[in-house]
Structures are given as structure tokens and as C-alpha cells.
Amino acid sequence: MTNDQSDKIFHPNRRGFLGVAAATGAASLAPGVLIGTAGLVEASEPAPSQSVDASASTIAAKLPSPVPGYLSFGPDEASLVEVMVNVMCPADALTPGGVDCGLAAYIDRQLAGGFGKGARLYMRGPWREGKPELGYQLPLTPEQFFKAGLAAADAACRKHNGKAFSELDESGADRFLHEIADGKVTDERVQLASWFNELVYPLFEQACFADPIYGGNVCKVFWKAIGYPGLPAVHSQDMVDFRGKPFPGAADPKSIADFA
């Protein structure tokens, strides 16, 4: 991913995004660099809406339900996150929407665990403004920052649009996420562009491509979409034998659970 966003748009058909995200990884989201939702997806032509809905419904019916219940999110927070992941990962001919793919469940579990609680963060201050290259410099755990950003974003949405974020239609919610990521929507308490670009989007990307054992990427749906064969530890010889060739094992990727 580059900082030049001029040739990329955030579009409901995100097959190009999956390839870009898989190739670049969350490491490309350097702290302090504002990467808007315009950089999430490659431009591509959408499939006809009826066929997309039918295909997505068929695929969703074949997927096991995401892990039930939320460990971190309350009802209102869960509603906001579910709308957000469905906008960022809309249903198409290859995969269902973000909630059915387990993206909200993955984010919730990360925030409820050691990452969200700041287990590896120094949390004793002093809280001085740091340089962007120093990364996370807030007196909040990632879970607290995520929830503060949700509340601030929803309040800003009500102020600018007269509706809660969960009440916006898909195009309106898409546009609002653009505005947050581009720094056009601000809040006195929370740096919303930093919140989205440095916390929300990396968690979303991880949710798409992490091992399904963590709650997202249900039934390895994104691995199958990009042809990723799963755990790399078992593919050392395959990378030699199939270099530059289609790998038949990509149709049945292996996860941690497959070796348990």
C-alpha cells in the first residue's frame, strides 16, 4: 500500500482490497500516517446486485455462525461495530458480509484480551505528546481507545447527519468512514483519524486474514478468496515445487484447528 490514494476508492466490491491487504499486511499502516478508507480497496466493477445478494446468501448459509456473544462490546457498541464491518466488507458474489465472516467477533475478542487491556503497553505516564514514529502515546488501553472512538464517531455522525451511525444507509455510512479516515470529521476528545487508521482498520484487516481460531475469517473464507493455503509451516517444499504454478492445496487451506 502506498500513500498515494488517488487511484483507489472504497467500493462495496472489494476483491482488489483483499489482494492488496494480503500482500501489504498491517505493517504498512505506520503510526502517524493517515491512511483513509480510500486506500482500502482497488476500484472494480460491482456484480449485479441481485446475483450478489443471492450468492452471498448462499455462501453465508454454508458458513458456521460466528462465535456467539460479545466479551467486550455492549449492545450499542456491538451495533455500531456490526454496521461498520458490514460497510467495510459488504457481501458480494464470493463472501457474505463482515458480521457473517466473524469480523466483529474477532475485534471484540482482541479488545477483551491482553491486546485490548494493554498488557504489553507501559501505562504509567507521563503522558506527553510524542512524535508520530513513536506510535501509540495515549493514557488509554486499546479497548478504551476503541470504545471512546466509537462514542465520538457516533456523536459526530448525529451532529453532521442528524442520525446515529447505525441508522445511515450503506452509502452514507461509507461516506462517513471516508470523512473520518481523511480527518474531515473531528472531535475535541478523540483523534478520530488516528483512531480509525491506526486501530480500527488494522484490527479489521487482521480479522479478515487471521486464523479462524481467533473468531474472524470464518470457515477460512478470505484465505480461500485469495488462494492462501493456510499454515506456512507445512508448505516449505510446496513453495519450491509449485513456485509460479497454481497450488491445488489452496482450495482447502489448513488452520490451527486442523492440526489440533
Side-chain angles (χ1 to χ4, degrees), residues 132-220:
E133 57 266 29
L134 296 178
Y136 193 91
Q137 297 288 310
L138 295 174
L140 300 173
T141 65
E143 181 185 41
Q144 291 169 335
F145 186 29
F146 193 98
K147 293 188 173 191
L150 279 181
D154 195 45
C157 186
R158 293 176 186 273
K159 179 179 179 181
H160 290 274
N161 299 295
K163 296 180 179 180
F165 180 72
S166 59
E167 296 173 342
L168 297 177
D169 59 23
E170 183 177 332
S171 63
D174 178 18
R175 182 171 58 255
F176 187 67
L177 291 181
H178 271 286
E179 292 170 348
I180 288 179
D182 292 339
K184 296 177 182 178
V185 175
T186 59
D187 181 88
E188 294 180 355
R189 302 156 298 171
V190 180
Q191 296 179 3
L192 286 176
S194 175
W195 168 75
F196 184 86
N197 295 314
E198 298 175 22
L199 182 60
V200 175
Y201 177 63
L203 282 172
F204 166 78
E205 185 179 52
Q206 294 163 24
C208 289
F209 296 109
D211 192 285
I213 199 172
Y214 299 110
N217 191 20
V218 170
C219 212
K220 311 162 194 171

Side-chain angles (χ1 to χ4, degrees), residues 58-70:
T58 300
I59 298 171
K62 296 179 180 179
L63 296 181
S65 299
V67 181
Y70 289 110

Side-chain angles (χ1 to χ4, degrees), residues 34-53:
L34 298 183
I35 304 175
T37 46
L40 304 190
V41 204
E42 295 280 355
S44 56
E45 289 297 324
S49 58
Q50 292 183 346
S51 62
V52 167
D53 292 343

